[in-house]
Amino acid sequence: MSATPRLHLVDRVNPVSRLAAAMLLTTPLLLTVDWVSAAVALVAQLVLFAMAGVTPRVLVARTWPILIAAPIAGLSMLLYGRPEGTEYWSFWLARITDGSIELAVAVTVRVLAIGLPAVLLFMNVDPTELADGLAQIARLPSRFVLGALAGARLVGLFMDDWRAMALSRRARGIGDHGAIRRFATMAFALLVLAIRRGSKLATAMEARGFGSDQPRTWARESRVGGPDAALLGIAVGIAVLAIGAAVWTGTFHPVWT
C-alpha cells in the first residue's frame, strides 16, 4: 500500500493560498490561445513538480483524467478548428489545415497547463482546513463554508453507498446483466438517498445553530506565512514568464480577437 506523497513546500501552504495560486497561474493562460505560453507554463510546472517530489507515477495516477481529456480536446480542434493555410485532409465538415494543427497543439498543451496544477496543488488538502481558511482568511460567509464542507464530507459516503448497492444487487442475482439499466436504476436510487440524507443533514445542522447569522468562533486558527507568499510568487512568475514568452515570440493570440 503506497502512502500519499508529500509535496515539501506545498504541504506547509494554507489551502486558501493554494486556491489563490491556482487562479493566479491559470487565469492568464485563459486570455490567449497560443502554444508558446502554454508550453512555457507546462515545462515550468513539470520542473517544479519534480523538485517538490512528484514522481511520474504519481503524476499519472493523480491526473489521468486530464491526460485523457487534453488529447480529446486537441483532436476536436484538429478536425474542426479554424481552416487556415495548407489543407492536408478534409471530409464533410472536418478539415485538417495548418491553422487547425496549430490550434490543436495549443489547446492540448493549454488543457494540461491549466489542469495539472489545479489537481496537484490540492492533492493533500483537508476539507476542514480549506473551510477554516475560506472563513477566516477569505472571509466568506460561515453558512456557505460550513454547507460546502458538509457536502464535501458526504462525497465519500456516496461512493460507499454505490459500492454497497452494487454488492447487494449482485447478491440478489440482479447485478450481472443490463449494464445501462443497472446504472440508471442505481443512479436514481443514489439520487433519492442523497436527497434524504441532505434533508436530514440540513435539519441537524440547523438544530445545532449552524444556520445562525451570529459571528462564529473556530476551533483551529488558519494562518498564512512565508511558504504561502513563496507559492503565490512562483505562480505569478510562471504566468508572467508564459505570457511574456508568447508576446516576445509574436504568438500571443487573445481569445477576444
Side-chain angles (χ1 to χ4, degrees):
M1 182 177 62
S2 59
T4 302
R6 311 303 299 177
L7 308 184
H8 311 300
L9 171 64
V10 180
D11 285 338
R12 294 179 288 158
V13 176
N14 192 287
V16 175
S17 299
R18 302 191 197 188
L19 178 61
M23 295 178 62
L24 290 173
L25 176 58
T26 59
T27 301
L29 297 178
L30 297 174
L31 303 179
T32 176
V33 183
D34 68 273
W35 68 270
V36 173
S37 61
V40 170
L42 182 60
V43 170
Q45 292 168 16
L46 293 177
V47 172
L48 291 175
F49 291 154
M51 295 173 60
V54 179
T55 63
R57 181 178 180 180
V58 172
L59 182 66
V60 173
R62 293 286 180 169
T63 63
W64 64 266
I66 298 175
L67 299 178
I68 295 176
I72 295 177
L75 179 61
S76 64
M77 293 297 102
L78 177 65
L79 297 178
Y80 305 106
R82 62 177 184 267
E84 294 182 357
T86 305
E87 181 177 306
Y88 301 98
W89 180 82
S90 65
F91 177 76
W92 197 29
L93 298 178
R95 299 176 64 185
I96 298 179
T97 63
D98 291 333
S100 66
I101 293 175
E102 181 180 355
L103 184 60
V105 173
V107 169
T108 301
V109 180
R110 191 163 306 278
V111 171
L112 294 174
I114 293 175
L116 295 185
V119 172
L120 294 176
L121 283 175
F122 290 90
M123 189 161 54
N124 301 322
V125 169
D126 180 13
T128 303
E129 293 181 358
L130 177 59
D132 289 337
L134 291 175
Q136 300 177 47
I137 298 176
R139 302 296 181 183
L140 295 182
S142 59
R143 182 183 298 181
F144 166 77
V145 171
L146 293 172
L149 174 61
R153 290 295 188 186
L154 290 180
V155 173
L157 294 179
F158 291 151
M159 296 174 63
D160 293 338
D161 292 336
W162 183 272
R163 286 192 291 266
M165 285 191 296
L167 292 175
S168 64
R169 290 174 61 87
R170 177 164 296 182
R172 289 181 290 171
I174 57 175
D176 295 328
H177 55 82
I180 297 178
R181 180 179 179 182
R182 181 175 67 253
F183 176 83
T185 55
M186 289 179 58
F188 180 76
L190 186 63
L191 175 62
V192 173
L193 182 61
I195 294 175
R196 291 178 178 176
R197 181 174 288 161
S199 300
K200 293 180 180 179
L201 179 61
T203 302
M205 293 181 67
E206 186 70 25
R208 289 171 171 80
F210 285 103
S212 174
D213 293 328
Q214 298 297 323
R216 302 193 62 86
T217 58
W218 302 90
R220 297 183 299 184
E221 182 180 0
S222 184
R223 301 178 179 178
V224 294
D228 301 85
L231 182 62
L232 294 176
I234 291 174
V236 173
I238 293 177
V240 172
L241 178 63
I243 299 300
V247 174
W248 182 67
T249 57
T251 60
F252 183 78
H253 190 277
V255 295
W256 55 84
T257 60

